[in-house]
Amino acid sequence: MAKRKTEFRMMYENLTLQVIGYERSCVFCAWFILKKCVPRKPDTVIETDRTVLVNILLRRYEALENYEFCSLLLPFKNGYDISDDVSDMEMDDYVFNLIAVLNYNINIEQCAEIFWEWGLIALSPFKPMKDDIDYIILADRVLDYLSSQGRLEEFENLSEKRKQIMKYRACGRLR
């Protein structure tokens, strides 16, 4: 009999996938914009999710010192129109990745709250099987976020839980 997932667990897994897949989502969005979109004219500057997305991507690639990619994205700074030859599947992928990029801070904040409230239940103590989510990767992302926000109490709490899970994975006992 298949194990049923609760609505909370499905929401949590979706959040996890969006946080863990953030880099991949950025790459996909940049590819999509460059290959499937047409830049808007400078006189049509209206802040939309499309201009916000391009600004996020520009800041990210500038921080990575990928100036070549920045120069490719710069013409799309005023937004873009999606060409008509985009398939439904490409559009679905675009929407999923767009949401992951635009909501990254919100998503990681929600994951931090789940770790704070649910403790070890939010971390899977088992070694992930193929195609399973590794919640340690998520914990590392949340730890980086908490550290950058100066939230030391939450950082220490999650760090201790992470250590417990790693010990369990190593020896099979929670301590």
Side-chain angles (χ1 to χ4, degrees), residues 8-9 12-13 16 20 110-126 133-139 142 157-158 161-162 165 169:
F8 170 78
R9 191 51 145 182
Y12 180 50
E13 287 180 4
T16 300
I20 290 174
Q110 286 180 322
C111 289
E113 287 176 22
I114 290 169
F115 282 139
W116 184 253
E117 291 178 24
W118 292 86
L120 289 174
I121 295 171
L123 287 162
S124 173
F126 307 107
I133 297 168
D134 188 348
Y135 291 95
I136 295 298
I137 294 170
L138 176 65
V142 173
N157 181 284
L158 178 56
K161 289 176 177 115
R162 184 190 181 287
I165 296 300
R169 287 184 178 183

mmCIF file of all heavy atoms in Angstrom, residues 8-9 12-13 16 20 110-126 133-139 142 157-158 161-162 165 169:
data_model
loop_
_atom_site.group_PDB
_atom_site.id
_atom_site.type_symbol
_atom_site.label_atom_id
_atom_site.label_comp_id
_atom_site.label_asym_id
_atom_site.label_seq_id
_atom_site.Cartn_x
_atom_site.Cartn_y
_atom_site.Cartn_z
ATOM 1 N N PHE A 8 0.502 19.142 4.440
ATOM 2 C CA PHE A 8 1.667 19.848 4.974
ATOM 3 C C PHE A 8 2.955 19.283 4.378
ATOM 4 O O PHE A 8 3.837 20.021 3.967
ATOM 5 C CB PHE A 8 1.709 19.738 6.497
ATOM 6 C CG PHE A 8 3.003 20.231 7.087
ATOM 7 C CD1 PHE A 8 3.240 21.589 7.223
ATOM 8 C CD2 PHE A 8 3.998 19.339 7.468
ATOM 9 C CE1 PHE A 8 4.447 22.051 7.739
ATOM 10 C CE2 PHE A 8 5.200 19.787 7.977
ATOM 11 C CZ PHE A 8 5.428 21.147 8.122
ATOM 12 N N ARG A 9 3.068 17.962 4.317
ATOM 13 C CA ARG A 9 4.281 17.330 3.810
ATOM 14 C C ARG A 9 4.492 17.667 2.338
ATOM 15 O O ARG A 9 5.617 17.928 1.903
ATOM 16 C CB ARG A 9 4.195 15.815 4.013
ATOM 17 C CG ARG A 9 5.494 15.096 3.772
ATOM 18 C CD ARG A 9 6.573 15.737 4.540
ATOM 19 N NE ARG A 9 7.548 14.790 5.025
ATOM 20 C CZ ARG A 9 8.556 15.148 5.767
ATOM 21 N NH1 ARG A 9 8.699 16.388 6.132
ATOM 22 N NH2 ARG A 9 9.434 14.290 6.175
ATOM 23 N N TYR A 12 5.656 21.256 2.191
ATOM 24 C CA TYR A 12 7.039 21.311 2.669
ATOM 25 C C TYR A 12 8.009 20.799 1.604
ATOM 26 O O TYR A 12 9.052 21.407 1.348
ATOM 27 C CB TYR A 12 7.148 20.502 3.956
ATOM 28 C CG TYR A 12 8.516 20.444 4.581
ATOM 29 C CD1 TYR A 12 9.266 21.597 4.807
ATOM 30 C CD2 TYR A 12 9.062 19.234 4.980
ATOM 31 C CE1 TYR A 12 10.510 21.548 5.400
ATOM 32 C CE2 TYR A 12 10.307 19.163 5.584
ATOM 33 C CZ TYR A 12 11.028 20.323 5.792
ATOM 34 O OH TYR A 12 12.265 20.270 6.376
ATOM 35 N N GLU A 13 7.679 19.708 0.959
ATOM 36 C CA GLU A 13 8.531 19.176 -0.110
ATOM 37 C C GLU A 13 8.630 20.152 -1.274
ATOM 38 O O GLU A 13 9.699 20.329 -1.852
ATOM 39 C CB GLU A 13 8.018 17.818 -0.578
ATOM 40 C CG GLU A 13 8.282 16.708 0.410
ATOM 41 C CD GLU A 13 7.780 15.355 -0.052
ATOM 42 O OE1 GLU A 13 7.281 15.242 -1.199
ATOM 43 O OE2 GLU A 13 7.892 14.394 0.729
ATOM 44 N N THR A 16 10.911 22.896 -0.219
ATOM 45 C CA THR A 16 12.271 22.356 -0.209
ATOM 46 C C THR A 16 12.851 22.308 -1.617
ATOM 47 O O THR A 16 13.976 22.753 -1.848
ATOM 48 C CB THR A 16 12.277 20.949 0.410
ATOM 49 O OG1 THR A 16 11.787 21.050 1.746
ATOM 50 C CG2 THR A 16 13.661 20.360 0.424
ATOM 51 N N ILE A 20 16.155 24.328 -2.673
ATOM 52 C CA ILE A 20 17.327 23.569 -3.121
ATOM 53 C C ILE A 20 17.604 23.831 -4.602
ATOM 54 O O ILE A 20 18.748 23.900 -5.025
ATOM 55 C CB ILE A 20 17.134 22.060 -2.849
ATOM 56 C CG1 ILE A 20 17.201 21.806 -1.343
ATOM 57 C CG2 ILE A 20 18.182 21.225 -3.576
ATOM 58 C CD1 ILE A 20 16.894 20.376 -0.947
ATOM 59 N N GLN A 110 10.102 30.467 5.283
ATOM 60 C CA GLN A 110 9.128 29.460 5.702
ATOM 61 C C GLN A 110 9.832 28.175 6.139
ATOM 62 O O GLN A 110 9.423 27.557 7.122
ATOM 63 C CB GLN A 110 8.139 29.159 4.574
ATOM 64 C CG GLN A 110 7.135 30.262 4.367
ATOM 65 C CD GLN A 110 6.159 29.950 3.244
ATOM 66 O OE1 GLN A 110 6.550 29.376 2.223
ATOM 67 N NE2 GLN A 110 4.905 30.310 3.434
ATOM 68 N N CYS A 111 10.873 27.782 5.431
ATOM 69 C CA CYS A 111 11.635 26.589 5.828
ATOM 70 C C CYS A 111 12.281 26.805 7.190
ATOM 71 O O CYS A 111 12.296 25.891 8.026
ATOM 72 C CB CYS A 111 12.689 26.247 4.778
ATOM 73 S SG CYS A 111 11.993 25.603 3.237
ATOM 74 N N ALA A 112 12.809 28.000 7.433
ATOM 75 C CA ALA A 112 13.412 28.304 8.732
ATOM 76 C C ALA A 112 12.367 28.187 9.844
ATOM 77 O O ALA A 112 12.645 27.631 10.911
ATOM 78 C CB ALA A 112 14.025 29.708 8.717
ATOM 79 N N GLU A 113 11.155 28.682 9.589
ATOM 80 C CA GLU A 113 10.075 28.576 10.581
ATOM 81 C C GLU A 113 9.707 27.117 10.834
ATOM 82 O O GLU A 113 9.458 26.731 11.982
ATOM 83 C CB GLU A 113 8.846 29.350 10.109
ATOM 84 C CG GLU A 113 9.001 30.843 10.183
ATOM 85 C CD GLU A 113 7.802 31.598 9.615
ATOM 86 O OE1 GLU A 113 6.692 31.015 9.553
ATOM 87 O OE2 GLU A 113 7.983 32.769 9.235
ATOM 88 N N ILE A 114 9.669 26.314 9.778
ATOM 89 C CA ILE A 114 9.341 24.898 9.934
ATOM 90 C C ILE A 114 10.418 24.201 10.761
ATOM 91 O O ILE A 114 10.107 23.428 11.670
ATOM 92 C CB ILE A 114 9.161 24.221 8.554
ATOM 93 C CG1 ILE A 114 7.876 24.734 7.894
ATOM 94 C CG2 ILE A 114 9.129 22.692 8.694
ATOM 95 C CD1 ILE A 114 7.709 24.357 6.443
ATOM 96 N N PHE A 115 11.690 24.489 10.501
ATOM 97 C CA PHE A 115 12.763 23.902 11.298
ATOM 98 C C PHE A 115 12.632 24.319 12.765
ATOM 99 O O PHE A 115 12.839 23.522 13.666
ATOM 100 C CB PHE A 115 14.139 24.309 10.763
ATOM 101 C CG PHE A 115 14.578 23.546 9.549
ATOM 102 C CD1 PHE A 115 15.206 24.194 8.508
ATOM 103 C CD2 PHE A 115 14.387 22.184 9.443
ATOM 104 C CE1 PHE A 115 15.629 23.502 7.387
ATOM 105 C CE2 PHE A 115 14.808 21.473 8.333
ATOM 106 C CZ PHE A 115 15.429 22.138 7.300
ATOM 107 N N TRP A 116 12.314 25.585 12.993
ATOM 108 C CA TRP A 116 12.207 26.107 14.356
ATOM 109 C C TRP A 116 11.048 25.432 15.098
ATOM 110 O O TRP A 116 11.185 25.018 16.240
ATOM 111 C CB TRP A 116 12.020 27.618 14.301
ATOM 112 C CG TRP A 116 11.984 28.261 15.647
ATOM 113 C CD1 TRP A 116 10.888 28.759 16.270
ATOM 114 C CD2 TRP A 116 13.079 28.486 16.528
ATOM 115 N NE1 TRP A 116 11.237 29.277 17.489
ATOM 116 C CE2 TRP A 116 12.579 29.120 17.672
ATOM 117 C CE3 TRP A 116 14.436 28.200 16.461
ATOM 118 C CZ2 TRP A 116 13.386 29.481 18.747
ATOM 119 C CZ3 TRP A 116 15.239 28.567 17.538
ATOM 120 C CH2 TRP A 116 14.713 29.194 18.646
ATOM 121 N N GLU A 117 9.898 25.307 14.413
ATOM 122 C CA GLU A 117 8.708 24.760 15.057
ATOM 123 C C GLU A 117 8.703 23.236 15.140
ATOM 124 O O GLU A 117 8.244 22.667 16.125
ATOM 125 C CB GLU A 117 7.447 25.211 14.317
ATOM 126 C CG GLU A 117 7.161 26.689 14.469
ATOM 127 C CD GLU A 117 5.945 27.147 13.690
ATOM 128 O OE1 GLU A 117 5.065 26.312 13.405
ATOM 129 O OE2 GLU A 117 5.883 28.339 13.376
ATOM 130 N N TRP A 118 9.184 22.557 14.114
ATOM 131 C CA TRP A 118 9.065 21.104 14.036
ATOM 132 C C TRP A 118 10.328 20.370 14.451
ATOM 133 O O TRP A 118 10.298 19.152 14.629
ATOM 134 C CB TRP A 118 8.655 20.684 12.625
ATOM 135 C CG TRP A 118 7.268 21.119 12.302
ATOM 136 C CD1 TRP A 118 6.886 22.328 11.807
ATOM 137 C CD2 TRP A 118 6.073 20.366 12.477
ATOM 138 N NE1 TRP A 118 5.522 22.380 11.655
ATOM 139 C CE2 TRP A 118 4.996 21.175 12.059
ATOM 140 C CE3 TRP A 118 5.803 19.088 12.930
ATOM 141 C CZ2 TRP A 118 3.683 20.753 12.094
ATOM 142 C CZ3 TRP A 118 4.493 18.658 12.955
ATOM 143 C CH2 TRP A 118 3.451 19.489 12.560
ATOM 144 N N GLY A 119 11.433 21.062 14.574
ATOM 145 C CA GLY A 119 12.657 20.430 15.046
ATOM 146 C C GLY A 119 13.120 19.279 14.171
ATOM 147 O O GLY A 119 13.127 19.373 12.949
ATOM 148 N N LEU A 120 13.461 18.183 14.817
ATOM 149 C CA LEU A 120 14.023 17.036 14.101
ATOM 150 C C LEU A 120 13.035 16.396 13.135
ATOM 151 O O LEU A 120 13.437 15.738 12.183
ATOM 152 C CB LEU A 120 14.520 15.975 15.089
ATOM 153 C CG LEU A 120 15.768 16.354 15.875
ATOM 154 C CD1 LEU A 120 16.074 15.293 16.925
ATOM 155 C CD2 LEU A 120 16.950 16.532 14.953
ATOM 156 N N ILE A 121 11.736 16.598 13.375
ATOM 157 C CA ILE A 121 10.736 16.034 12.464
ATOM 158 C C ILE A 121 10.901 16.628 11.060
ATOM 159 O O ILE A 121 10.640 15.964 10.068
ATOM 160 C CB ILE A 121 9.311 16.289 12.999
ATOM 161 C CG1 ILE A 121 9.121 15.520 14.312
ATOM 162 C CG2 ILE A 121 8.255 15.895 11.997
ATOM 163 C CD1 ILE A 121 7.848 15.852 15.047
ATOM 164 N N ALA A 122 11.349 17.869 10.981
ATOM 165 C CA ALA A 122 11.505 18.537 9.685
ATOM 166 C C ALA A 122 12.730 18.044 8.921
ATOM 167 O O ALA A 122 12.842 18.263 7.728
ATOM 168 C CB ALA A 122 11.590 20.044 9.876
ATOM 169 N N LEU A 123 13.642 17.397 9.624
ATOM 170 C CA LEU A 123 14.846 16.843 8.989
ATOM 171 C C LEU A 123 14.693 15.336 8.901
ATOM 172 O O LEU A 123 14.358 14.685 9.872
ATOM 173 C CB LEU A 123 16.086 17.158 9.833
ATOM 174 C CG LEU A 123 16.577 18.590 9.806
ATOM 175 C CD1 LEU A 123 17.482 18.850 10.984
ATOM 176 C CD2 LEU A 123 17.297 18.866 8.516
ATOM 177 N N SER A 124 14.935 14.783 7.762
ATOM 178 C CA SER A 124 14.881 13.332 7.625
ATOM 179 C C SER A 124 16.196 12.749 8.131
ATOM 180 O O SER A 124 17.261 13.084 7.623
ATOM 181 C CB SER A 124 14.681 12.937 6.164
ATOM 182 O OG SER A 124 14.796 11.548 6.021
ATOM 183 N N PRO A 125 16.121 11.856 9.133
ATOM 184 C CA PRO A 125 17.364 11.292 9.659
ATOM 185 C C PRO A 125 17.976 10.237 8.736
ATOM 186 O O PRO A 125 19.102 9.842 8.920
ATOM 187 C CB PRO A 125 16.928 10.661 10.985
ATOM 188 C CG PRO A 125 15.489 10.357 10.803
ATOM 189 C CD PRO A 125 14.949 11.412 9.871
ATOM 190 N N PHE A 126 17.222 9.793 7.759
ATOM 191 C CA PHE A 126 17.687 8.714 6.901
ATOM 192 C C PHE A 126 18.522 9.251 5.744
ATOM 193 O O PHE A 126 18.288 10.347 5.250
ATOM 194 C CB PHE A 126 16.501 7.911 6.374
ATOM 195 C CG PHE A 126 15.600 7.443 7.474
ATOM 196 C CD1 PHE A 126 14.362 8.033 7.669
ATOM 197 C CD2 PHE A 126 16.012 6.448 8.346
ATOM 198 C CE1 PHE A 126 13.537 7.623 8.704
ATOM 199 C CE2 PHE A 126 15.195 6.032 9.380
ATOM 200 C CZ PHE A 126 13.955 6.625 9.563
ATOM 201 N N ILE A 133 14.667 13.835 -1.368
ATOM 202 C CA ILE A 133 15.157 15.157 -0.971
ATOM 203 C C ILE A 133 16.146 14.961 0.182
ATOM 204 O O ILE A 133 15.856 14.256 1.141
ATOM 205 C CB ILE A 133 13.992 16.054 -0.507
ATOM 206 C CG1 ILE A 133 13.013 16.294 -1.661
ATOM 207 C CG2 ILE A 133 14.506 17.370 0.054
ATOM 208 C CD1 ILE A 133 11.699 16.918 -1.241
ATOM 209 N N ASP A 134 17.303 15.599 0.086
ATOM 210 C CA ASP A 134 18.256 15.570 1.191
ATOM 211 C C ASP A 134 18.034 16.842 2.016
ATOM 212 O O ASP A 134 18.421 17.939 1.612
ATOM 213 C CB ASP A 134 19.690 15.502 0.673
ATOM 214 C CG ASP A 134 20.701 15.271 1.793
ATOM 215 O OD1 ASP A 134 20.319 15.391 2.979
ATOM 216 O OD2 ASP A 134 21.854 14.973 1.482
ATOM 217 N N TYR A 135 17.409 16.659 3.159
ATOM 218 C CA TYR A 135 17.057 17.805 3.994
ATOM 219 C C TYR A 135 18.274 18.452 4.643
ATOM 220 O O TYR A 135 18.184 19.576 5.125
ATOM 221 C CB TYR A 135 16.009 17.399 5.031
ATOM 222 C CG TYR A 135 14.687 17.105 4.367
ATOM 223 C CD1 TYR A 135 14.321 15.813 4.010
ATOM 224 C CD2 TYR A 135 13.822 18.142 4.044
ATOM 225 C CE1 TYR A 135 13.111 15.560 3.367
ATOM 226 C CE2 TYR A 135 12.612 17.896 3.405
ATOM 227 C CZ TYR A 135 12.270 16.602 3.076
ATOM 228 O OH TYR A 135 11.081 16.369 2.425
ATOM 229 N N ILE A 136 19.403 17.779 4.614
ATOM 230 C CA ILE A 136 20.635 18.393 5.113
ATOM 231 C C ILE A 136 21.054 19.541 4.188
ATOM 232 O O ILE A 136 21.510 20.584 4.644
ATOM 233 C CB ILE A 136 21.761 17.346 5.257
ATOM 234 C CG1 ILE A 136 21.396 16.320 6.329
ATOM 235 C CG2 ILE A 136 23.089 18.002 5.554
ATOM 236 C CD1 ILE A 136 21.221 16.888 7.727
ATOM 237 N N ILE A 137 20.875 19.363 2.890
ATOM 238 C CA ILE A 137 21.176 20.444 1.937
ATOM 239 C C ILE A 137 20.276 21.641 2.237
ATOM 240 O O ILE A 137 20.734 22.788 2.271
ATOM 241 C CB ILE A 137 20.992 19.964 0.483
ATOM 242 C CG1 ILE A 137 22.025 18.888 0.141
ATOM 243 C CG2 ILE A 137 21.092 21.137 -0.496
ATOM 244 C CD1 ILE A 137 21.785 18.192 -1.183
ATOM 245 N N LEU A 138 19.004 21.368 2.490
ATOM 246 C CA LEU A 138 18.077 22.449 2.856
ATOM 247 C C LEU A 138 18.519 23.108 4.158
ATOM 248 O O LEU A 138 18.538 24.342 4.257
ATOM 249 C CB LEU A 138 16.655 21.904 2.991
ATOM 250 C CG LEU A 138 15.615 22.915 3.458
ATOM 251 C CD1 LEU A 138 15.433 24.020 2.419
ATOM 252 C CD2 LEU A 138 14.290 22.225 3.740
ATOM 253 N N ALA A 139 18.890 22.296 5.151
ATOM 254 C CA ALA A 139 19.344 22.849 6.431
ATOM 255 C C ALA A 139 20.555 23.755 6.222
ATOM 256 O O ALA A 139 20.646 24.827 6.830
ATOM 257 C CB ALA A 139 19.666 21.722 7.409
ATOM 258 N N VAL A 142 19.370 27.034 4.855
ATOM 259 C CA VAL A 142 18.694 27.807 5.903
ATOM 260 C C VAL A 142 19.720 28.334 6.901
ATOM 261 O O VAL A 142 19.616 29.482 7.350
ATOM 262 C CB VAL A 142 17.594 26.967 6.597
ATOM 263 C CG1 VAL A 142 17.010 27.710 7.790
ATOM 264 C CG2 VAL A 142 16.488 26.615 5.608
ATOM 265 N N ASN A 157 20.258 26.578 17.139
ATOM 266 C CA ASN A 157 19.263 25.519 17.302
ATOM 267 C C ASN A 157 19.282 24.566 16.111
ATOM 268 O O ASN A 157 19.348 23.345 16.270
ATOM 269 C CB ASN A 157 17.883 26.171 17.488
ATOM 270 C CG ASN A 157 16.787 25.170 17.691
ATOM 271 O OD1 ASN A 157 16.339 24.521 16.741
ATOM 272 N ND2 ASN A 157 16.337 25.054 18.922
ATOM 273 N N LEU A 158 19.222 25.119 14.901
ATOM 274 C CA LEU A 158 19.216 24.291 13.699
ATOM 275 C C LEU A 158 20.560 23.589 13.509
ATOM 276 O O LEU A 158 20.612 22.433 13.101
ATOM 277 C CB LEU A 158 18.871 25.127 12.462
ATOM 278 C CG LEU A 158 18.883 24.384 11.130
ATOM 279 C CD1 LEU A 158 17.952 23.170 11.155
ATOM 280 C CD2 LEU A 158 18.499 25.339 10.003
ATOM 281 N N LYS A 161 20.579 20.519 15.636
ATOM 282 C CA LYS A 161 19.720 19.486 15.055
ATOM 283 C C LYS A 161 20.397 18.835 13.853
ATOM 284 O O LYS A 161 20.330 17.620 13.673
ATOM 285 C CB LYS A 161 18.371 20.082 14.659
ATOM 286 C CG LYS A 161 17.521 20.444 15.846
ATOM 287 C CD LYS A 161 16.247 21.109 15.420
ATOM 288 C CE LYS A 161 15.404 21.391 16.625
ATOM 289 N NZ LYS A 161 15.192 22.764 16.891
ATOM 290 N N ARG A 162 21.057 19.637 13.049
ATOM 291 C CA ARG A 162 21.773 19.114 11.891
ATOM 292 C C ARG A 162 22.865 18.138 12.335
ATOM 293 O O ARG A 162 23.036 17.073 11.759
ATOM 294 C CB ARG A 162 22.385 20.256 11.080
ATOM 295 C CG ARG A 162 23.067 19.802 9.806
ATOM 296 C CD ARG A 162 23.864 20.941 9.181
ATOM 297 N NE ARG A 162 24.495 20.541 7.961
ATOM 298 C CZ ARG A 162 25.551 19.732 7.869
ATOM 299 N NH1 ARG A 162 26.092 19.208 8.958
ATOM 300 N NH2 ARG A 162 26.068 19.426 6.702
ATOM 301 N N ILE A 165 21.368 14.805 13.308
ATOM 302 C CA ILE A 165 20.988 13.996 12.145
ATOM 303 C C ILE A 165 22.224 13.382 11.502
ATOM 304 O O ILE A 165 22.221 12.213 11.111
ATOM 305 C CB ILE A 165 20.185 14.835 11.124
ATOM 306 C CG1 ILE A 165 18.853 15.286 11.733
ATOM 307 C CG2 ILE A 165 19.978 14.074 9.827
ATOM 308 C CD1 ILE A 165 17.931 14.176 12.179
ATOM 309 N N ARG A 169 22.930 9.461 10.954
ATOM 310 C CA ARG A 169 23.267 8.872 9.655
ATOM 311 C C ARG A 169 24.562 8.073 9.726
ATOM 312 O O ARG A 169 24.728 7.085 9.033
ATOM 313 C CB ARG A 169 23.374 9.946 8.578
ATOM 314 C CG ARG A 169 22.025 10.502 8.161
ATOM 315 C CD ARG A 169 22.164 11.492 7.039
ATOM 316 N NE ARG A 169 20.859 11.984 6.598
ATOM 317 C CZ ARG A 169 20.691 12.829 5.593
ATOM 318 N NH1 ARG A 169 21.740 13.277 4.919
ATOM 319 N NH2 ARG A 169 19.499 13.234 5.266
#
